Amino acid sequence: MRLSCLQENLSKGLAIVGRAAASRSTLPITSNVLVATDEGRLKLSATNLEIAVSCWIGAKIEEEGATTVPAKLLTEFIGSLPNDKIEMALSAKKILTMKCARFEARMTGVDARDFPPIPRVENGVAVKVDVAEFKKGVARVVFAAATDESRPVLTGIDALFEGSVLTLAAADGFRLAVYKMPLAEAASQKVKAIIPAKTLSEVSRLLSDGDESIGITVDTQKSQILFKLKNVELVSQLLQGAFPQYSQIIPQSHTTRAVVETPAFLMAARTAQIFARDGGGIVRLIMTPGGGKTPGRLSITARSEEIGEDQAELDAAVSGEEAKIAFNGKYLLDVLGVISEGQVALEVTGPSSPGVIRPVGTDNYVHVVMPMFVQW
């Protein structure tokens, strides 16, 4: 193998695939990155056997070939070089030599044939999604997935591809987030898959402003999913199991609804969380309807026996009767943080029933939070 490419391009490519390389593994070669020529370009690939990322960069290929070298070592070395042309050559003894300006390094490679094959997802249901919509949708659900591996299915995002709509849902037993987004290219048939939350976070990280749409292919036979960008491909294993029937969890009615400005609610929740951290994480909400010219209000309080207490009052359009409910402060912050702007509606039916949070003016996102039981 003999080729040359720009340091900037190689460094970017390694940053893209490097996170997929295994840091600790019973299979040492998975901590390597595959460096190979591929139809006039340089292909970089890494895998931890759960996800595999491949990236193609422009290069001048003089001689075809492939090898694998430690991902961390190569990434750190290339990142420390000046922004200049890099020449790479692989000897018959599997030594990879790299020259850039007045720098030169040699790395001992491992035969590319020993590298785990990167899965090819060619069959299955293929769709396309607008990049901005996809990033927004992932941001609004991924934080609600479980991090505890005791129920592996809840560490994933339930994805339903049906017609021209993709529905993403995440739940961890204490909260549920559901987001619906339009597909730029409709699904040929209905398909359901549970995608690891880590996979969707990684795909979202890889998306750049230059990408307009992302291609997704779901192969339920192989239990794999492919995300395809302009010069990057990510293949992930799907999670096995049955995701909870979450539609039954979403309350269909409410007795009280309060509409408030999201930034003000978020600010009040942040200050309450400072005190809630030492008070079991409890943030209490009281919704009081207005009367005559008096506006309704939403009261947010938190207290710790040792530190003190905090209270904030917000103007709110409250319909229905006065209501009280308590949430885990972190859960409240998480959902308000991803909505962040406009107005938000809080719907409750009582202190022991789930609360529902929705952005006002759109019906494609709903967030359900289980209440905390407190002494009022």
Side-chain angles (χ1 to χ4, degrees):
M1 180 173 73
R2 187 180 298 277
L3 60 93
S4 61
C5 62
L6 292 177
Q7 181 272 345
E8 182 184 13
N9 293 343
L10 183 54
S11 186
K12 283 181 182 174
L14 288 168
I16 287 170
V17 304
R19 285 166 61 106
S23 52
R24 300 182 195 85
S25 174
T26 52
L27 191 62
I29 198 169
T30 56
S31 63
N32 282 14
V33 62
L34 175 68
V35 182
T37 57
D38 184 19
E39 298 179 357
R41 292 190 295 172
L42 177 61
K43 178 184 179 182
L44 306 169
S45 296
T47 180
N48 59 12
L49 303 183
E50 292 178 359
I51 67 167
V53 182
S54 298
C55 174
W56 288 262
I57 63 172
K60 183 181 178 184
I61 311 295
E62 295 177 33
E63 191 179 310
E64 302 282 342
T67 189
T68 79
V69 290
K72 190 170 186 287
L73 178 66
L74 182 62
T75 301
E76 288 181 349
F77 173 68
I78 297 300
S80 67
L81 295 176
N83 191 355
D84 206 337
K85 184 172 79 170
I86 296 176
E87 294 180 349
M88 304 174 73
L90 183 66
S91 71
K93 293 183 178 180
K94 304 298 179 188
I95 303 295
L96 182 65
T97 302
M98 288 162 286
K99 296 179 182 178
C100 178
R102 300 174 75 176
F103 295 83
E104 184 174 336
R106 294 172 187 81
M107 292 183 192
T108 304
V110 177
D111 198 315
R113 287 174 293 188
D114 296 334
F115 197 76
I118 304 297
R120 297 180 68 86
V121 182
E122 295 169 333
N123 300 316
V125 177
V127 300
K128 279 190 177 177
V129 191
D130 176 75
V131 160
E133 190 62 39
F134 181 82
K135 287 187 82 164
K136 185 178 178 182
V138 170
R140 291 197 172 190
V141 301
V142 75
F143 66 89
T147 53
D148 180 6
E149 299 283 345
S150 60
R151 290 185 66 189
V153 74
L154 294 183
T155 64
I157 308 295
D158 186 71
L160 173 63
F161 301 82
E162 186 173 17
S164 57
V165 177
L166 166 57
T167 304
L168 299 178
D172 64 1
F174 302 100
R175 52 188 169 171
L176 164 71
V178 183
Y179 187 87
K180 294 185 177 185
M181 68 180 84
L183 292 171
E185 188 177 288
S188 57
Q189 65 187 71
K190 179 180 176 181
V191 63
K192 200 175 174 72
I194 304 174
I195 309 165
K198 290 177 183 176
T199 296
L200 283 182
S201 294
E202 189 61 23
V203 173
S204 188
R205 186 187 71 85
L206 294 176
L207 296 172
S208 66
D209 296 336
D211 299 313
E212 290 183 1
S213 65
I214 175 171
I216 304 174
T217 304
V218 185
D219 188 341
T220 51
Q221 297 292 320
K222 285 185 176 179
S223 190
Q224 292 172 339
I225 187 166
L226 164 69
F227 297 90
K228 192 168 186 177
L229 301 169
K230 189 177 180 183
N231 293 311
V232 180
E233 289 185 3
L234 184 149
V235 180
S236 172
Q237 298 292 330
L238 295 172
L239 293 174
Q240 300 299 305
F243 201 81
Q245 292 289 329
Y246 59 83
S247 58
Q248 300 168 5
I249 302 169
I250 304 171
Q252 299 303 307
S253 61
H254 57 268
T255 55
T256 308
R257 184 176 193 259
V259 175
V260 294
E261 297 294 329
T262 309
F265 196 180
L266 178 58
M267 186 183 294
R270 278 203 185 109
T271 55
Q273 177 64 0
I274 296 167
F275 289 82
R277 281 196 302 254
D278 295 299
I282 299 166
V283 172
R284 292 170 167 83
L285 305 175
I286 300 175
M287 288 153 276
T288 309
K293 294 183 179 179
T294 308
R297 67 179 188 273
L298 172 64
S299 171
I300 301 119
T301 61
R303 67 171 176 262
S304 164
E305 296 295 337
E306 297 174 3
I307 296 173
E309 60 184 311
D310 162 78
Q311 180 173 352
E313 279 198 355
L314 305 177
D315 286 344
V318 181
S319 55
E321 58 199 51
E322 181 177 273
K324 298 176 179 179
I325 196 165
F327 293 132
N328 180 308
K330 181 185 180 301
Y331 296 167
L332 194 58
L333 273 179
D334 284 344
V335 62
L336 294 175
V338 295
I339 297 174
S340 76
E341 55 191 31
Q343 291 183 317
V344 66
L346 171 61
E347 301 169 355
V348 300
T349 51
S352 58
S353 300
V356 179
I357 297 172
R358 316 171 187 263
V360 173
T362 176
D363 60 355
N364 66 339
Y365 182 56
V366 61
H367 192 88
V368 181
V369 188
M370 298 304 291
M372 296 185 79
F373 297 101
V374 299
Q375 293 294 325
W376 290 92

